[in-house]
Amino acid sequence: MVRMGPDVPLLNEYKQEFFWKRFPQTVLGGPRFKLGYCAPPYVYVNQAVLFLTPWLFGGISTLLCQLQLLQELHAAVLSGMLMLGAAVGVQALAMYAARRSGTVERLGAPNILVDEEEVEFTHCVSPETVRFIAPGKRFGLNVVLHSVLAGLLCGFGTWYVFLGRLTALYSSIGVSLVVFVLSWVTLCIAEYSLIVNTATETATFQAQDTYEITPLTRPLYIFIFIAVDLAYRFSGTVPELHLASQVLHVLFLFLPLLWALGILPPLDALLLWGMEQALVFGFGGSPMSSNLRLLLMFGASATVAVCNYFIPSTLGVVLFSVSMGFLLSLDLSQIGTLCKGHTPTFVDHRLRKGGSPPPPSPSSFGWNLGCRELLLYLSLLLVAMAEAGLLHHFLGLAQSQSFVTGPQAPVSYLLLILFCLCWALKEIQGAYVFGGVFLNPLYPKGMSSVQTFKQRNRGLYIAAAIRRVLLNLVSPLGMIAFLSMDDSLQQLHKASLCVGFTRAFRVVWQSSEDALLHMVVVILVRLAAENKALPGWDNLGTGVQLLLVGLLIDRLTQFMAKLKFTLTVLVTSWTEKKQRRQSAGTLLALNASLCPLLLAVVTLSALLSAPLLPLFTLPIFLVGFPRPQRSWPGPVGTACPCPDSIFYQQMSGSLASALRMAFARGSLGSLAPGSHFLGRFQDRMVWIMILERGYGYCTVNIKGLELQETSCHTVEARRVDEVFEAAFERPERLGFTQGFNLHWGNALTPCAVLAVRVYSDARNVLSGIIDSHDNLRKLQDDFLKALVWLLLRYCVQKHKGFLWSCEEGLGVGGRKSQSSQLAQTTCTQPPEAVMVESNGSSLRFRQDSSSLTSFGDWSDEDDLFGPQPARRTVALVTAEAQPGHTMLQTGASLPGSVEMDSLFENMALSALQPLQPLGLGIGLPAVDKGQNPEVFRENPGSLPHLNFSCPQSEVFNLPAGWRTAPLLPSRLMQLRPLFPEDWFRFALGRFGPTVQGETSEDMTKALKEDEALRELHAQVALSCLISLGAESAFTSPSYVYRLYCGDVPWTEGLDWLSSSKELYQLALQAFRFSFKLLFDQASLGPMESPEELFSTLEDYERDWYIGLVTEKGWHDSVLHEKPFLFSLGHDLAMGTYTGRVLSLQEQLVQVGRLNGEGVRGQWANLSWELLYATNDDEERYSIQAHPFMLRNLTVQAADPPLGYPIYSSAPLHFPCL
């Protein structure tokens, strides 16, 4: 994101031209009268004739009816049959043209820079002309279905707008004529989009219309209008239907405007939104996390309501409603997994995804549906049913003239007290009180330590525990008691009352906090009325009253949130200089002068529960089409992954556990589905969305935003930090004037701080460490000590069976020896080497056909963070054939490979220093090894047998092939003083007892004095030293960096070393350990004793991953939560070497609530802008940084393909009791 500021164009010139061609087509339903090129007149004439054809047929039928030659019904049938014939003719012509053009179509490269290809027209009915005007249908079934619907639409439409009916409806010929003419315009638009050519709708929900559902959208709304008119015609004189018919006939004229503005939703969005609204407000449920769950829950809830209608006994209705309301409000996904014979928890799901398990153990309450959970749920159900049954049987029939003196009065006062307590205890849990206006003086601030924060929060934890008991146990039982004694249950066998009480008994469990608020409002209304009767209100019954109160509160809450979002957009368009466009003053003046219209738009969007769409995020407000709370049609969990995604995947488990406790305590406020939260830690941004809420559980989606911050991302991240600092890092005691939320107008309101187990990322510049000659001289000695330690540890692990092979996967006990650094340690050596070239920009494999003659095709279906060429240009790739596919595995880069890029920048090959020939046996000078008797023989079978003086030394024997280095003995003897004999004896003394159990001191002493064993390890260690080119002290930081990365220039023994993958991996690991020792000793001081060095190496092996960021082992270690990770990098831009340390620990993550309506509005604009206006410019105005609306972050958090979060979890269900 380079360009920032108010002068960024809304649409570039090309997109403006495209938009003004597309929008008239949308308004008219499909005719393309505005083209980007010259077309013959007959193209426009043909479209006009097809557009007016329904009007012609309807006009003929209307004329025959007016002349009394045909009755209304017969005239409508005639019109429909004519339209059916015309539709069939158009579709047949389109299919014929498609076949003709398919045989003579010219092969040419399409121009991808234009949105529509220019058509060469030959004559008025040529195949090109027909295909341009009527492209036809993709599916044969749609040809039949759409043709039949076109006939029905024309027939019923003719009947709907007969002049005689309109005159009888409005008692005015003039009004009837106006309605008649404009109504046929609406019908022609719908017919054209259905049968000729479908226009792109501004209300687009799906990115692709796979099944051609869009043509059905406009006819559906016309059929809804016709259905109301038919009900009025056949129901007699019903005043309400008469009024509705009059209003709908007028509204029918404005359907083209509603379609053009995108207010009416497409079919899929309408269906999902309707089911969600009916489930929440009709049946007391919750929005669901997936479309399938929504469909199943809607069906189950509707079944319960129907059953209640037919149950004859009110007592039976009460018991059935209480039990089914409780069961349907539970997390039914756990029941499904229980029926499969096992109880996979959130932990299991994370492990299947390759992630880390969350902190709570499987014994934590609620994660599994076990005996404790079943016992609690069964106890609650039995207590609730017993309470409801007894109270309804003994007190439900008691009649009282006054609510104050009736049996519900004590319970009413109890509910009032419970509401006040729960509200007060929830308010003090967050950083702000009273809607985010004032700072909470009880919330701890300025806490940097997790332990200190937890200690300071103990009082709030106690208050939260009390609230949980009151809200989850006492309140539901109190509300059930209130409902069970209600006298309106005696009139239950009415559809409205049946639905009302079904919802009331369900919402008590589904959302106890909201249900308590609704019930308190109903109680207050009754107390305010005292003994006065409210006929219209009382006749509704308690169930319907609660339904209306819930609907009213929801819409009022949406209205206030939308109004705040509107004011934010209006005010910041002028006050923020970087948002102030040249048209800002004009737009503000228009909004001020049209203030009633603006309020009407906000009110309408709130009533429809539709997003308030700010066009291009400017103060131009439209009503978006209603859609589900999730805002997106696809499944939850879609992301645009990158290597940084692993950090979010790792922390999602711990974050879910912290969110669970925060939700239960009320720290994050009310948890309505559709709520959005933003978490911030170091450079990480976590987007949390509530998908579903029930009794004792909550379903969320966790998204991770990009770590490589753009300029826009940085601006908004800085403002997020300022907002959190103002809430959490202020001093404890503040004056009254300093207790205000200075960022109240921001979309983000801080809520709480959560303790989450995450990786802390520290980066250090190694100047003065890696280029210090003293440190480099020490590196050689540390390398030999680390290699000796690793060789002895290798022998111990081999003796105990810890090493693993390709066939075995994990070793004994499921332990993987130094996960990635010893990967493939005992795999069969590959028969060939494959040259793999790494492109720094795309990091994709490029195949050299000359070296792939014996390998299968490369597969693009590897794991996301699977084997990749980690900063290397030549890698040894093991091809392991498996049934049906080829599996590629890469270890560390082969010695001799050339680094072409770094961790931070790309650099040309010419920038590298000249290298010696690579050690791959290609183009090397021939060596006659048989002519020099001093060179060791390469055949392991001909090596002399080692005579160990101690029988236990056989455990520490090394493979025979490791003794076959083609090096002169004199050269080894020259380097023999470098071998750390004292360290070898010390390490052998520590490793000896681990393999022999209770070993006597004499045995340990014999091991230490075994000269053959010592010489064996000295030979192997010094051979590795020479093969890595480190016989003299390391003198160059660049050479150290190359060795660390595995890019070893060719040396005399490199072929031998690379032929043994196990030994090569041990040598590389030893060098990385030695560099980490150098880093630690330069920072913390030298090692004071062998015991300290031995302990440090043990820590490296157990708790550290030391490698490169681009290696697969790095990713695996993060996901398996290795406590520490270290990598070495080279920043070519700065010319410095850097060290990066990741440490896993509990950290404080700041979480705030976002304005949900602001998020939905920006997402609605994003959907319109990309799917309809196709404005995918990366520098467009609507994606620029906005410190108040957090516009750039909000766009990132949208689901792909419109947004680009780098991580998105599947729906996470976790308990909240």
Side-chain angles (χ1 to χ4, degrees), residues 210-222:
T210 307
Y211 302 104
E212 295 179 317
I213 299 177
T214 303
L216 303 176
T217 301
R218 302 192 182 194
L220 171 70
Y221 288 104
I222 292 180

Side-chain angles (χ1 to χ4, degrees), residues 762-771 904 1075 1078-1079 1082-1083 1126-1131 1134-1141:
R763 303 170 190 255
N764 303 297
V765 178
L766 301 183
S767 300
I769 297 178
I770 195 174
D771 52 2
F904 303 96
F1075 184 83
L1078 180 150
F1079 178 80
S1083 305
F1126 175 83
S1127 73
L1128 177 64
H1130 186 201
D1131 189 349
M1134 302 297 295
T1136 58
Y1137 295 93
T1138 57
R1140 183 181 184 185
V1141 178

Side-chain angles (χ1 to χ4, degrees), residues 485-499:
M485 294 184 292
D486 194 80
D487 54 2
S488 58
L489 282 170
Q490 305 305 320
Q491 304 172 355
L492 192 58
H493 293 288
K494 293 181 181 178
S496 59
L497 290 175
C498 182
V499 171

Side-chain angles (χ1 to χ4, degrees), residues 133-268:
I133 297 174
K137 308 295 181 182
R138 291 197 299 268
F139 304 103
L141 178 62
N142 286 338
V143 172
V144 178
L145 177 62
H146 293 182
S147 299
V148 173
L149 285 178
L152 292 175
L153 182 63
C154 189
F156 281 107
T158 303
W159 200 11
Y160 184 68
V161 296
F162 271 134
L163 277 175
R165 296 292 302 177
L166 294 177
T167 304
L169 195 63
Y170 294 104
S171 302
S172 174
I173 297 178
V175 173
S176 301
L177 285 174
V178 173
V179 173
F180 175 80
V181 173
L182 296 180
S183 296
W184 270 110
V185 174
T186 302
L187 287 169
C188 290
I189 290 174
E191 288 282 8
Y192 197 98
S193 66
L194 177 62
I195 204 63
V196 182
N197 186 22
T198 304
T200 303
E201 299 286 355
T202 52
T204 303
F205 191 52
Q206 300 277 359
Q208 293 182 342
D209 185 21
T210 307
Y211 302 104
E212 295 179 317
I213 299 177
T214 303
L216 303 176
T217 301
R218 302 192 182 194
L220 171 70
Y221 288 104
I222 292 180
F223 278 123
I224 293 175
F225 281 71
I226 293 174
V228 176
D229 184 69
L230 290 177
Y232 166 63
R233 294 191 185 198
F234 293 106
S235 63
T237 56
V238 179
E240 292 81 4
L241 286 177
H242 178 75
L243 178 62
S245 183
Q246 287 180 326
V247 173
L248 290 180
H249 270 84
V250 175
L251 186 60
F252 190 80
L253 312 181
F254 294 94
L255 279 180
L257 178 62
L258 298 179
W259 288 328
L261 294 178
I263 297 176
L264 299 179
L267 290 184
D268 47 358

Side-chain angles (χ1 to χ4, degrees), residues 158 203-204 211 224 303 457 481 521 741 802 900 928 972 1037 1096 1124:
T158 303
T204 303
Y211 302 104
I224 293 175
T303 303
N457 248 348
V521 172
N741 181 7
F802 281 167
M900 296 182 63
D928 188 1
L972 294 176
T1096 301
F1124 303 97

Side-chain angles (χ1 to χ4, degrees), residues 712-720 1185-1186 1190-1193:
C712 293
H713 186 106
T714 304
V715 170
E716 295 186 356
R718 189 183 306 119
R719 179 57 61 91
V720 168
H1186 195 298
L1190 305 181
R1191 189 165 51 194
N1192 186 263
L1193 297 177

Side-chain angles (χ1 to χ4, degrees), residues 9-11 19-20 23 202-203 260-262 565-566 569-570 573 581 583 587 591 598 601 611-624 1158 1160-1170 1172-1173 1175 1180-1183 1189 1191:
L10 302 177
L11 283 172
F19 174 79
W20 289 116
F23 187 69
T202 52
L261 294 178
F565 174 58
T566 303
V569 176
L570 285 170
S573 66
R581 300 179 65 87
S583 58
L587 291 177
N591 280 279
L598 176 61
V601 170
L612 181 66
L613 191 154
L615 199 61
F616 298 107
T617 65
L618 292 172
I620 306 173
F621 298 98
L622 302 175
V623 179
R1160 293 183 68 200
Q1162 293 182 69
W1163 281 356
N1165 172 73
L1166 177 68
S1167 178
W1168 178 89
E1169 199 171 345
L1170 267 66
Y1172 182 76
N1175 185 24
R1180 62 186 184 272
Y1181 174 77
S1182 61
I1183 203 176
M1189 293 167 54
R1191 189 165 51 194

